[in-house]
Amino acid sequence: MLTKAPKGTMDILPQNSYKWQYIEEEIRKICKEFGVKEIRTPVFEHTELFQRGVGDTTDVVEKEMYTFNDKGDRSITLRPEGTAGAVRSFIEHGMFNDPQPTKMYYLISCYRYEKPQAGRYREFHQFGVEYFGTQSPATDAEMISLPWMLYKRLGLKNLTLNINSIGCPKCRKEYNEKLRDYLKSRYDDLCETCKNRYDRNPMRILDCKSSVCKGIVKDAPLLIDCICDECKDHFEAVKKYLTCMDIPFSIDPLIVRGLDYYTKTVFEITAKNENSNGTICGGGRYDGLVEELGGGYVPACGFALGMERLLLTMEEQGIEIENKQKLQLYVGHIGDENSFYAQKLVSELRELGICVDRDHLGRSVKAQMKYANKLGVKYSLILGDDEIAQKRAKLKNMDEGIETEIELSAKTIAENII
Ligand code: ATP
Ligand code: MG
């Protein structure tokens, strides 16, 4: 128990963290290019924030939250996602007073009490972006283009972008009635969850994963056919913006985010692999959310993607990530007395920005070189009495097996390392 991580969590080990760092670097780079700045919010928030912000008819809030009372008897929840905290912060700090739009991103850990399986954990990581203060369809398209561009840069293949419009509360009210009418005669066949959804939020039945419900909704009226002119125009413009950025998309009328504050554009990006066909990114517009959480009316949109699923997809697609964390040089030494010189030299080399290590275990010089090989360093050099006395050393290129004799000074060594 003591030496086992809790169920559904995992360690990112030192030999693997370079993959995370690479993706995180690409994320930070692309956000900078888009003028999106990072926000960092607490790991826990008041439970009510998620009940309202994620919605209390969602699986996340109904079943998956890590909620507890703290010692001051407040109900606290570990964040299951990033939007609610970002919106809370936007309101709390009066960011609506800043020149708009406000563009922010987060790279965070999230917590959901789920049944662990491949790509589904209790602690996982999300990268998400939120745009506040703009209604323009250009914003929806730009926001969608960000993860699309990121995935392309990371080398992902077989991606599909599906978009839909779920209209506004106005068009949806009429639609919900139509949908209830359609479902009425099949009500008894719906799964228990969907029976519950029938009154509270019928649109979410379209999203049900049960095969019976899927069959029932197959011929249901589609919201996209019923949206009002304003929502229709917005959707047409989003499509035009995507097209002008050469981003291919399909319309999937079954994508829903059945909550009142979700409006207009919704989208998902899926990656089709040999063994899986999963959603790796999802998002949309939520013009009602800021108001729902106690701010004024501020239109907004955003997306979130799962980092673990991204890494899994890259692995499945055979995309190699270069390990840039490797040391460049190993400094070996012969004899205990030369250990001091080795330490002085690596210290000077590090000051010059060289990634270098030395023996820490009192190994023989042969064992030191064997270890250097295991580390995969590109260069090595050995300090013996002669080298130190003559101030000359042989820098060995480990890949090519070529040795070059150079002056034994940190500066010269650094200059010869490429
Ligand atoms: P799913 O339908 O797979 O449960 P979701 O609709 O709950 O996904 P969102 O809440 O939209 O997912 O979260 C955005 C992204 O976060 C998902 O596309 C996925 O990549 C990732 N994600 C969600 N839940 C988990 C989890 N338990 N473990 C790992 N990644 C997750
Ligand atoms: Mg889920």
Side-chain angles (χ1 to χ4, degrees), residues 232-249:
K232 215 178 272 169
D233 291 346
H234 185 93
F235 193 49
E236 287 309 313
V238 172
K239 291 195 276 186
K240 203 166 164 188
Y241 279 113
L242 287 173
T243 306
C244 82
M245 289 185 282
D246 284 330
I247 298 177
F249 59 86

PDB file of all heavy atoms in Angstrom, residues 232-249:
ATOM      1  N   LYS A 232     -27.527  30.337 -37.325  1.00  0.00           N
ATOM      2  CA  LYS A 232     -27.206  29.779 -38.636  1.00  0.00           C
ATOM      3  C   LYS A 232     -26.096  30.604 -39.309  1.00  0.00           C
ATOM      4  O   LYS A 232     -25.123  30.067 -39.828  1.00  0.00           O
ATOM      5  CB  LYS A 232     -28.464  29.768 -39.508  1.00  0.00           C
ATOM      6  CG  LYS A 232     -28.543  28.575 -40.438  1.00  0.00           C
ATOM      7  CD  LYS A 232     -29.827  28.594 -41.247  1.00  0.00           C
ATOM      8  CE  LYS A 232     -30.975  27.895 -40.521  1.00  0.00           C
ATOM      9  NZ  LYS A 232     -32.283  28.094 -41.123  1.00  0.00           N
ATOM     10  N   ASP A 233     -26.276  31.937 -39.288  1.00  0.00           N
ATOM     11  CA  ASP A 233     -25.273  32.825 -39.900  1.00  0.00           C
ATOM     12  C   ASP A 233     -23.915  32.643 -39.231  1.00  0.00           C
ATOM     13  O   ASP A 233     -22.874  32.619 -39.887  1.00  0.00           O
ATOM     14  CB  ASP A 233     -25.692  34.296 -39.766  1.00  0.00           C
ATOM     15  CG  ASP A 233     -26.912  34.593 -40.633  1.00  0.00           C
ATOM     16  OD1 ASP A 233     -27.236  33.747 -41.499  1.00  0.00           O
ATOM     17  OD2 ASP A 233     -27.538  35.653 -40.428  1.00  0.00           O
ATOM     18  N   HIS A 234     -23.941  32.548 -37.899  1.00  0.00           N
ATOM     19  CA  HIS A 234     -22.697  32.376 -37.145  1.00  0.00           C
ATOM     20  C   HIS A 234     -21.999  31.085 -37.595  1.00  0.00           C
ATOM     21  O   HIS A 234     -20.801  31.081 -37.886  1.00  0.00           O
ATOM     22  CB  HIS A 234     -23.014  32.318 -35.649  1.00  0.00           C
ATOM     23  CG  HIS A 234     -21.809  32.267 -34.757  1.00  0.00           C
ATOM     24  ND1 HIS A 234     -21.222  33.387 -34.223  1.00  0.00           N
ATOM     25  CD2 HIS A 234     -21.051  31.224 -34.337  1.00  0.00           C
ATOM     26  CE1 HIS A 234     -20.173  33.024 -33.504  1.00  0.00           C
ATOM     27  NE2 HIS A 234     -20.038  31.718 -33.556  1.00  0.00           N
ATOM     28  N   PHE A 235     -22.764  30.016 -37.693  1.00  0.00           N
ATOM     29  CA  PHE A 235     -22.208  28.708 -38.066  1.00  0.00           C
ATOM     30  C   PHE A 235     -21.627  28.751 -39.481  1.00  0.00           C
ATOM     31  O   PHE A 235     -20.527  28.241 -39.731  1.00  0.00           O
ATOM     32  CB  PHE A 235     -23.306  27.647 -37.958  1.00  0.00           C
ATOM     33  CG  PHE A 235     -22.793  26.239 -38.010  1.00  0.00           C
ATOM     34  CD1 PHE A 235     -21.727  25.832 -37.211  1.00  0.00           C
ATOM     35  CD2 PHE A 235     -23.379  25.290 -38.837  1.00  0.00           C
ATOM     36  CE1 PHE A 235     -21.253  24.532 -37.243  1.00  0.00           C
ATOM     37  CE2 PHE A 235     -22.911  23.978 -38.877  1.00  0.00           C
ATOM     38  CZ  PHE A 235     -21.851  23.606 -38.079  1.00  0.00           C
ATOM     39  N   GLU A 236     -22.359  29.393 -40.390  1.00  0.00           N
ATOM     40  CA  GLU A 236     -21.867  29.502 -41.771  1.00  0.00           C
ATOM     41  C   GLU A 236     -20.526  30.230 -41.796  1.00  0.00           C
ATOM     42  O   GLU A 236     -19.597  29.842 -42.499  1.00  0.00           O
ATOM     43  CB  GLU A 236     -22.881  30.250 -42.659  1.00  0.00           C
ATOM     44  CG  GLU A 236     -24.121  29.440 -43.005  1.00  0.00           C
ATOM     45  CD  GLU A 236     -23.802  28.053 -43.557  1.00  0.00           C
ATOM     46  OE1 GLU A 236     -22.937  27.952 -44.442  1.00  0.00           O
ATOM     47  OE2 GLU A 236     -24.397  27.063 -43.072  1.00  0.00           O
ATOM     48  N   ALA A 237     -20.424  31.297 -40.983  1.00  0.00           N
ATOM     49  CA  ALA A 237     -19.176  32.080 -40.959  1.00  0.00           C
ATOM     50  C   ALA A 237     -18.034  31.264 -40.366  1.00  0.00           C
ATOM     51  O   ALA A 237     -16.905  31.316 -40.856  1.00  0.00           O
ATOM     52  CB  ALA A 237     -19.393  33.380 -40.186  1.00  0.00           C
ATOM     53  N   VAL A 238     -18.321  30.489 -39.309  1.00  0.00           N
ATOM     54  CA  VAL A 238     -17.270  29.643 -38.712  1.00  0.00           C
ATOM     55  C   VAL A 238     -16.725  28.697 -39.784  1.00  0.00           C
ATOM     56  O   VAL A 238     -15.509  28.541 -39.952  1.00  0.00           O
ATOM     57  CB  VAL A 238     -17.811  28.824 -37.507  1.00  0.00           C
ATOM     58  CG1 VAL A 238     -16.768  27.811 -37.022  1.00  0.00           C
ATOM     59  CG2 VAL A 238     -18.209  29.747 -36.363  1.00  0.00           C
ATOM     60  N   LYS A 239     -17.627  28.110 -40.547  1.00  0.00           N
ATOM     61  CA  LYS A 239     -17.211  27.169 -41.588  1.00  0.00           C
ATOM     62  C   LYS A 239     -16.332  27.867 -42.635  1.00  0.00           C
ATOM     63  O   LYS A 239     -15.328  27.326 -43.088  1.00  0.00           O
ATOM     64  CB  LYS A 239     -18.444  26.544 -42.267  1.00  0.00           C
ATOM     65  CG  LYS A 239     -19.199  25.600 -41.339  1.00  0.00           C
ATOM     66  CD  LYS A 239     -20.180  24.724 -42.082  1.00  0.00           C
ATOM     67  CE  LYS A 239     -21.491  25.444 -42.306  1.00  0.00           C
ATOM     68  NZ  LYS A 239     -22.528  24.596 -42.887  1.00  0.00           N
ATOM     69  N   LYS A 240     -16.737  29.095 -42.973  1.00  0.00           N
ATOM     70  CA  LYS A 240     -15.976  29.839 -43.981  1.00  0.00           C
ATOM     71  C   LYS A 240     -14.563  30.174 -43.463  1.00  0.00           C
ATOM     72  O   LYS A 240     -13.578  30.048 -44.199  1.00  0.00           O
ATOM     73  CB  LYS A 240     -16.744  31.124 -44.310  1.00  0.00           C
ATOM     74  CG  LYS A 240     -16.422  31.696 -45.645  1.00  0.00           C
ATOM     75  CD  LYS A 240     -17.443  32.742 -46.043  1.00  0.00           C
ATOM     76  CE  LYS A 240     -16.887  33.578 -47.186  1.00  0.00           C
ATOM     77  NZ  LYS A 240     -17.713  34.723 -47.504  1.00  0.00           N
ATOM     78  N   TYR A 241     -14.486  30.561 -42.198  1.00  0.00           N
ATOM     79  CA  TYR A 241     -13.162  30.850 -41.615  1.00  0.00           C
ATOM     80  C   TYR A 241     -12.295  29.595 -41.586  1.00  0.00           C
ATOM     81  O   TYR A 241     -11.099  29.650 -41.877  1.00  0.00           O
ATOM     82  CB  TYR A 241     -13.301  31.411 -40.197  1.00  0.00           C
ATOM     83  CG  TYR A 241     -13.613  32.885 -40.159  1.00  0.00           C
ATOM     84  CD1 TYR A 241     -14.833  33.343 -39.682  1.00  0.00           C
ATOM     85  CD2 TYR A 241     -12.673  33.827 -40.580  1.00  0.00           C
ATOM     86  CE1 TYR A 241     -15.122  34.701 -39.635  1.00  0.00           C
ATOM     87  CE2 TYR A 241     -12.951  35.180 -40.542  1.00  0.00           C
ATOM     88  CZ  TYR A 241     -14.175  35.618 -40.068  1.00  0.00           C
ATOM     89  OH  TYR A 241     -14.442  36.951 -40.026  1.00  0.00           O
ATOM     90  N   LEU A 242     -12.888  28.462 -41.223  1.00  0.00           N
ATOM     91  CA  LEU A 242     -12.103  27.216 -41.195  1.00  0.00           C
ATOM     92  C   LEU A 242     -11.598  26.890 -42.593  1.00  0.00           C
ATOM     93  O   LEU A 242     -10.435  26.524 -42.785  1.00  0.00           O
ATOM     94  CB  LEU A 242     -12.951  26.059 -40.656  1.00  0.00           C
ATOM     95  CG  LEU A 242     -13.239  26.078 -39.151  1.00  0.00           C
ATOM     96  CD1 LEU A 242     -14.238  24.978 -38.779  1.00  0.00           C
ATOM     97  CD2 LEU A 242     -11.963  25.909 -38.334  1.00  0.00           C
ATOM     98  N   THR A 243     -12.496  27.050 -43.572  1.00  0.00           N
ATOM     99  CA  THR A 243     -12.123  26.747 -44.947  1.00  0.00           C
ATOM    100  C   THR A 243     -10.979  27.639 -45.406  1.00  0.00           C
ATOM    101  O   THR A 243     -10.044  27.172 -46.051  1.00  0.00           O
ATOM    102  CB  THR A 243     -13.342  26.923 -45.873  1.00  0.00           C
ATOM    103  OG1 THR A 243     -14.395  26.117 -45.343  1.00  0.00           O
ATOM    104  CG2 THR A 243     -13.035  26.487 -47.293  1.00  0.00           C
ATOM    105  N   CYS A 244     -11.036  28.926 -45.030  1.00  0.00           N
ATOM    106  CA  CYS A 244      -9.980  29.814 -45.516  1.00  0.00           C
ATOM    107  C   CYS A 244      -8.640  29.533 -44.846  1.00  0.00           C
ATOM    108  O   CYS A 244      -7.601  29.918 -45.348  1.00  0.00           O
ATOM    109  CB  CYS A 244     -10.386  31.286 -45.445  1.00  0.00           C
ATOM    110  SG  CYS A 244     -10.176  32.008 -43.843  1.00  0.00           S
ATOM    111  N   MET A 245      -8.666  28.806 -43.706  1.00  0.00           N
ATOM    112  CA  MET A 245      -7.391  28.384 -43.087  1.00  0.00           C
ATOM    113  C   MET A 245      -6.997  26.975 -43.541  1.00  0.00           C
ATOM    114  O   MET A 245      -6.068  26.386 -42.978  1.00  0.00           O
ATOM    115  CB  MET A 245      -7.501  28.410 -41.556  1.00  0.00           C
ATOM    116  CG  MET A 245      -7.555  29.804 -40.963  1.00  0.00           C
ATOM    117  SD  MET A 245      -7.529  29.771 -39.158  1.00  0.00           S
ATOM    118  CE  MET A 245      -9.212  29.316 -38.789  1.00  0.00           C
ATOM    119  N   ASP A 246      -7.745  26.450 -44.537  1.00  0.00           N
ATOM    120  CA  ASP A 246      -7.465  25.095 -45.045  1.00  0.00           C
ATOM    121  C   ASP A 246      -7.609  24.021 -43.980  1.00  0.00           C
ATOM    122  O   ASP A 246      -6.846  23.044 -43.964  1.00  0.00           O
ATOM    123  CB  ASP A 246      -6.045  25.003 -45.628  1.00  0.00           C
ATOM    124  CG  ASP A 246      -5.975  25.663 -46.984  1.00  0.00           C
ATOM    125  OD1 ASP A 246      -7.004  25.665 -47.683  1.00  0.00           O
ATOM    126  OD2 ASP A 246      -4.897  26.193 -47.326  1.00  0.00           O
ATOM    127  N   ILE A 247      -8.547  24.219 -43.077  1.00  0.00           N
ATOM    128  CA  ILE A 247      -8.780  23.191 -42.055  1.00  0.00           C
ATOM    129  C   ILE A 247     -10.014  22.382 -42.470  1.00  0.00           C
ATOM    130  O   ILE A 247     -11.118  22.911 -42.504  1.00  0.00           O
ATOM    131  CB  ILE A 247      -8.983  23.834 -40.666  1.00  0.00           C
ATOM    132  CG1 ILE A 247      -7.706  24.584 -40.274  1.00  0.00           C
ATOM    133  CG2 ILE A 247      -9.327  22.772 -39.621  1.00  0.00           C
ATOM    134  CD1 ILE A 247      -7.796  25.328 -38.971  1.00  0.00           C
ATOM    135  N   PRO A 248      -9.824  21.105 -42.805  1.00  0.00           N
ATOM    136  CA  PRO A 248     -10.964  20.287 -43.238  1.00  0.00           C
ATOM    137  C   PRO A 248     -11.838  19.903 -42.042  1.00  0.00           C
ATOM    138  O   PRO A 248     -11.327  19.655 -40.954  1.00  0.00           O
ATOM    139  CB  PRO A 248     -10.295  19.046 -43.828  1.00  0.00           C
ATOM    140  CG  PRO A 248      -8.958  18.967 -43.173  1.00  0.00           C
ATOM    141  CD  PRO A 248      -8.557  20.347 -42.768  1.00  0.00           C
ATOM    142  N   PHE A 249     -13.138  19.874 -42.254  1.00  0.00           N
ATOM    143  CA  PHE A 249     -14.045  19.514 -41.161  1.00  0.00           C
ATOM    144  C   PHE A 249     -15.254  18.767 -41.706  1.00  0.00           C
ATOM    145  O   PHE A 249     -15.539  18.824 -42.905  1.00  0.00           O
ATOM    146  CB  PHE A 249     -14.518  20.776 -40.418  1.00  0.00           C
ATOM    147  CG  PHE A 249     -15.225  21.757 -41.318  1.00  0.00           C
ATOM    148  CD1 PHE A 249     -16.588  21.638 -41.572  1.00  0.00           C
ATOM    149  CD2 PHE A 249     -14.515  22.794 -41.935  1.00  0.00           C
ATOM    150  CE1 PHE A 249     -17.231  22.531 -42.414  1.00  0.00           C
ATOM    151  CE2 PHE A 249     -15.153  23.688 -42.786  1.00  0.00           C
ATOM    152  CZ  PHE A 249     -16.518  23.557 -43.035  1.00  0.00           C
TER     153      PHE A 249
END
